[in-house]
Amino acid sequence: MKAAGRSIRARLRDGVAASDPGLLRLTAGLRTVGAIALTLAVLGLFGAGITYLVAGAMAAMVATFAIREKQRAQQAVTLALGLPVALASVTLGAGLSSRVVGGDVFFVALIFCAVYGRRFGERGTALGLIGFQLYFLSLFVGATVSGLPQLYGVLGIAFASSALVRFVLVPETPAGILERLRDAFRARLAQLISSQIDLLDAGPDEVEKALADLRDGNSRLHETAMMIQGRLEDGTADKATARLLQRRIADAEIAAERLGLLLLTARSAERADTLTLHLPGASVRVGAPPPARDEVTATLRRDLEAVRTLVLRPVSDHTGTALALVRNRLLGYRDEENLPPASAAVQDVFRGIGETARAVLGLRIALGGAQDDSDDSPATARSREELDAEDAAIDSGDDGDQEDEAATGLRRPTTRAAVQVAVGSSLAIVGGEFLSSQRWYWAVLTCWIVFLNTASTGEILVKGYRRLVGTVLGVVAGIVLAGLVGPHTWTAFALVLVLVFAMFYTAPLSYTLMSFFVTAALGLLYTLLHTYSFSVLVLRVEETALGAACGVVAAALVLPVHTDRRTNDLLVAALERLAEVTESAVDQLSGGPSVDLLDQARDLDQALADLRAATQPLTYPITPLRARRDTARYVVALLETCAYHARSLAATAELLPTHPSIAADPRLRRAGGRIAHNIEAIAAHVTDEQAAAGIEAGPSIASLLEPDAPDTPGSGRITDRVLRHLQRLDETVAGLARPLGVPVAEPRR
């Protein structure tokens, strides 16, 4: 019974870790709700009126969510600086409330400064957000000069409550977050292997769903790997530890994705294209599921389940004969003599299982330290030796990063956004005054929000649409909740806490859901302030629509950044990072000097993430330009496929100094040269459609490596895996030319 209970708890813990990597959403929700609840409790003990309770709740929420720095010392400094900013903001809001023109002019100036402050990093962003939101709070609660002393006390309590919850009640350290992210990576890796088992068992009618689950599993695993990379510098003791963990995470991700591709190939009527794993809607022809009584299939299913067990076993658990036997069997598939008799495609799957088991072993060692090796087989001992040699070769030297030359003047993104928001807010103030002289600030708030974390007109349009939909639905919910709560103050506050938690928990997942919860919570706050009515909530929708429209107009007419231009710029950046990784990996595989391939691969992943986010307006489901949407999805999928092969080449190149079966081959430069030329030609065409450069087509990569003379050694020194990745990368880069309209150049003689 105890063992069963532990198993259930472990599965529940892994499920939570996988659904919320690092528990970042849960922590954000708990911290914000805790700060609000503590503020309300203290104010309640002092007998504060309803207006001050609402002000305290809103101030505690802002003081908590505005601060995003990773180090606790930096958070404390920003929180301490935020209090005087908040006091100054509400003072000016109360003092200017009776001076319409002066107050409006100052509000626009404050908005400009708050957005411009983003150029000074996370602290500038946080202080600007606090200044804007607290000025808005003064308008919302109708702050007056005579009531400022009490309001100052409320703000002090709110900020103190936020600090107590942040640093004592719900503490969070970079090392703790990184540890939870590592657990999430293991949980999502196990989920991906489960989806691979489902693909193995799927029949013809089930394969599309299994393939969709496989794509989703790959995407979720990569998302977690990127989150870990962003936390390595702050969450580890030194650079060597960070690089070791970065390497082991990358190895596990690549091995797991490759295992899925090999399994898909074994189930397909023909060799599966890597693009199938990255393009939503792509299909593959498969036969009937393998017979359950087939000995090879049963062994394959058993070993996939064993890999999943190895992933989920706590890293602190190093002992156990059963675990050692499983590990030894899986790692044995790295030797040809241990492969079961089967077709070549199925044997490839067993090889993939062996490489995945090796990656999992390396990850467990990196996370848990030394492990018991008394029961190691020769294959396991060899894998450990390889991992030890790789660990010793990891260099903790300077990364050598250089910052790009920053734009100046109106070309600087923060300056341009500040001007756009100021213009849009001015329009929102004027239009909002026509709708309501009392609640015009809702239009300004919406205009401000739609500009947050957006960089193009299309992104602002999509965000404004989502906020409007969420607001309309939230108004309906607010009407229902306000009617149910009635005059019960603390019941309303309890529901507000629930809605605030839901708002922060769903914010990274759906902006529409977040807008729904915040609008429903505001409906309850209106009830508490005795200003609730159906007409007020309808006005809220009207002001929201007006603010979103003003934001779109300002983005479209004032220093506009069109979606096409932004996506083209990010596409070129992604192509440049792809070329950088590919050329460096091929050069190292050809005998060139070692470079920092891990950081280059990370830069490529970040460039792709930026491009993927920027194309959301083009791929949004309601977009009427269906052909354009399909093209954007196809191009992004092709680039993700290229990135997978480039990462795999980089990982193989880093094994060169330590792996006995991988040796440099200078002829690879010939193959890499064509790939680099084609990437450069595509980037030039995206930058300038009149560019004359075209991609080169020609013989396969394998033929480029044929000996020039009869006595020249063949390509036996280069692993088949390198050749396959080069060939797929060459084909995928050439495939980018068609949707982007890049011509094919005549072969060079």
Side-chain angles (χ1 to χ4, degrees), residues 168-205:
V168 179
L169 300 181
V170 191
E172 193 174 66
T173 63
I177 294 174
L178 182 59
E179 183 177 358
R180 294 197 297 270
L181 284 172
R182 292 173 347 197
D183 291 340
F185 182 86
R186 292 171 54 242
R188 286 191 166 183
L189 178 57
Q191 288 181 346
L192 176 59
I193 296 172
S194 296
S195 65
Q196 292 171 354
I197 296 173
D198 292 340
L199 178 64
L200 174 67
D201 296 333
D205 297 334

Side-chain angles (χ1 to χ4, degrees), residues 503-545:
M503 175 179 69
F504 281 92
Y505 194 79
T506 59
L509 304 178
S510 170
Y511 186 72
T512 301
L513 271 180
M514 188 203 75
S515 300
F516 166 79
F517 288 121
V518 71
T519 303
L522 287 171
L524 290 173
L525 292 179
Y526 278 136
T527 302
L528 293 171
L529 293 173
H530 307 295
T531 56
Y532 165 78
S533 68
F534 179 75
S535 61
V536 167
L537 293 177
V538 171
L539 178 63
R540 171 89 169 93
V541 175
E542 295 172 345
E543 296 279 6
T544 299

Side-chain angles (χ1 to χ4, degrees), residues 638-714:
L638 285 171
L639 280 171
E640 288 177 341
T641 300
C642 290
Y644 161 70
H645 292 295
R647 284 196 303 268
S648 300
L649 286 172
T652 306
E654 289 216 330
L655 294 176
L656 192 60
T658 59
H659 204 291
S661 64
I662 301 177
D665 192 324
R667 290 171 297 175
L668 281 174
R669 285 197 178 92
R670 192 187 313 169
R674 185 171 76 187
I675 296 174
H677 168 82
N678 287 346
I679 295 175
E680 182 181 347
I682 294 171
H685 185 81
V686 173
T687 303
D688 179 10
E689 292 186 357
Q690 305 303 319
I695 66 165
E696 290 183 1
S700 67
I701 294 293
S703 66
L704 292 178
L705 298 180
E706 289 297 325
D708 295 327
D711 57 345
T712 303

Side-chain angles (χ1 to χ4, degrees), residues 28-29 31-37 39 53-69 75 78-87 89-90 110 114 122-138 140-141 154-155 157-163 166 442 445 448-449 452 496-497 500 503-504 518 522 525:
R31 182 180 290 157
T32 307
V33 168
I36 295 173
T39 301
L53 288 174
V54 171
M58 295 181 68
M61 182 176 68
V62 173
T64 304
F65 80 75
I67 299 174
R68 300 294 181 87
E69 287 150 312
Q75 294 173 6
T78 303
L79 190 60
L81 293 174
L83 181 56
V85 170
L87 296 175
S89 192
V90 296
L110 174 63
E122 292 181 329
R123 180 165 296 160
T125 301
L127 295 179
L129 186 58
I130 290 172
F132 171 83
Q133 293 285 4
L134 268 294
Y135 191 91
F136 170 83
L137 182 149
S138 69
F140 182 76
V141 300
V154 168
L155 294 182
I157 292 172
F159 273 73
S161 299
S162 177
R166 176 181 292 274
W442 287 118
L445 179 67
W448 156 278
I449 288 177
L452 292 178
V496 167
L497 291 177
V500 168
M503 175 179 69
F504 281 92
V518 71
L522 287 171
L525 292 179

Side-chain angles (χ1 to χ4, degrees), residues 108 111-112 115 118 416-427 444 447-448 451-452 554:
V108 172
I111 290 170
F112 177 89
V115 177
R118 298 179 197 171
R416 181 177 59 245
V419 173
Q420 289 177 322
V421 177
V423 172
S425 299
S426 300
L427 296 174
V444 181
C447 182
W448 156 278
F451 272 95
L452 292 178

Side-chain angles (χ1 to χ4, degrees), residues 389-466:
E390 293 169 21
D391 295 349
I394 289 181
D395 180 19
S396 61
D398 184 19
D399 293 337
D401 291 338
Q402 296 182 354
E403 295 197 6
D404 296 334
E405 182 181 354
T408 58
L410 292 177
R411 292 182 300 169
R412 182 183 288 121
T414 50
T415 306
R416 181 177 59 245
V419 173
Q420 289 177 322
V421 177
V423 172
S425 299
S426 300
L427 296 174
I429 289 174
V430 174
E433 289 278 7
F434 280 107
L435 288 176
S436 171
S437 60
Q438 301 296 320
R439 295 184 176 84
W440 52 269
Y441 44 78
W442 287 118
V444 181
L445 179 67
T446 300
C447 182
W448 156 278
I449 288 177
V450 297
F451 272 95
L452 292 178
N453 300 319
T454 54
S456 70
T457 306
E459 292 178 57
I460 292 170
L461 180 62
V462 169
K463 192 171 184 180
Y465 165 78
R466 288 172 172 170

Side-chain angles (χ1 to χ4, degrees), residues 15-371:
V16 172
S19 64
D20 181 14
L23 303 182
L24 297 179
R25 290 186 285 122
L26 178 63
T27 303
L30 289 177
R31 182 180 290 157
T32 307
V33 168
I36 295 173
L38 184 58
T39 301
L40 292 175
V42 175
L43 292 176
L45 291 176
F46 284 105
I50 190 65
T51 299
Y52 295 113
L53 288 174
V54 171
M58 295 181 68
M61 182 176 68
V62 173
T64 304
F65 80 75
I67 299 174
R68 300 294 181 87
E69 287 150 312
K70 297 181 177 66
Q71 296 292 346
R72 289 162 63 87
Q74 296 173 349
Q75 294 173 6
V77 171
T78 303
L79 190 60
L81 293 174
L83 181 56
V85 170
L87 296 175
S89 192
V90 296
T91 300
L92 290 166
L96 296 173
S97 60
S98 60
R99 296 172 175 82
V100 177
V101 176
D104 290 349
V105 171
F106 174 77
F107 200 11
V108 172
L110 174 63
I111 290 170
F112 177 89
C113 294
V115 177
Y116 186 78
R118 298 179 197 171
R119 67 170 296 198
F120 301 107
E122 292 181 329
R123 180 165 296 160
T125 301
L127 295 179
L129 186 58
I130 290 172
F132 171 83
Q133 293 285 4
L134 268 294
Y135 191 91
F136 170 83
L137 182 149
S138 69
L139 299 175
F140 182 76
V141 300
T144 61
V145 175
S146 61
L148 281 177
Q150 295 91 334
L151 192 54
Y152 290 162
V154 168
L155 294 182
I157 292 172
F159 273 73
S161 299
S162 177
L164 182 62
V165 172
R166 176 181 292 274
F167 299 118
V168 179
L169 300 181
V170 191
E172 193 174 66
T173 63
I177 294 174
L178 182 59
E179 183 177 358
R180 294 197 297 270
L181 284 172
R182 292 173 347 197
D183 291 340
F185 182 86
R186 292 171 54 242
R188 286 191 166 183
L189 178 57
Q191 288 181 346
L192 176 59
I193 296 172
S194 296
S195 65
Q196 292 171 354
I197 296 173
D198 292 340
L199 178 64
L200 174 67
D201 296 333
D205 297 334
E206 302 168 328
V207 71
E208 291 301 329
K209 181 183 182 304
L211 187 54
D213 291 342
L214 190 64
R215 290 192 194 102
D216 183 62
N218 283 325
S219 177
R220 285 160 58 86
L221 186 67
H222 183 65
E223 175 194 24
T224 312
M226 289 290 292
M227 294 173 71
I228 290 174
Q229 289 182 5
R231 299 277 179 171
L232 283 174
E233 183 177 349
D234 296 301
T236 52
D238 51 60
K239 289 185 178 181
T241 303
R243 288 179 57 77
L244 173 61
L245 184 56
Q246 181 184 13
R247 172 60 189 269
R248 295 304 170 221
I249 291 290
D251 285 348
E253 181 189 358
I254 292 170
E257 186 168 356
R258 181 171 179 269
L259 176 59
L261 180 64
L262 293 173
L263 187 61
L264 184 61
T265 298
R267 286 294 322 270
S268 304
E270 55 190 15
R271 188 170 189 86
D273 192 332
T274 318
L275 180 62
T276 307
L277 291 181
H278 300 109
L279 181 61
S283 58
V284 62
R285 291 193 299 119
V286 300
R293 292 186 298 273
D294 183 88
E295 183 177 349
V296 174
T297 302
T299 302
L300 189 58
R301 185 182 296 105
R302 179 201 65 184
D303 289 336
L304 286 170
E305 292 173 348
V307 173
R308 181 177 59 190
T309 301
L310 191 62
V311 170
L312 289 175
R313 182 66 66 95
V315 295
S316 58
D317 185 358
H318 307 317
T319 60
T321 303
L323 179 65
L325 291 175
V326 169
R327 183 183 62 219
N328 292 340
R329 184 181 75 246
L330 298 178
L331 290 171
Y333 291 138
R334 301 184 66 216
D335 296 327
E336 295 294 319
E337 61 269 17
N338 293 327
L339 295 175
S343 65
V346 173
Q347 284 191 332
D348 278 344
V349 178
F350 281 105
R351 292 188 187 96
I353 288 175
E355 293 302 323
T356 303
R358 179 190 183 276
V360 172
L361 175 63
L363 183 61
R364 289 175 62 85
I365 293 174
L367 296 180
Q371 298 194 12

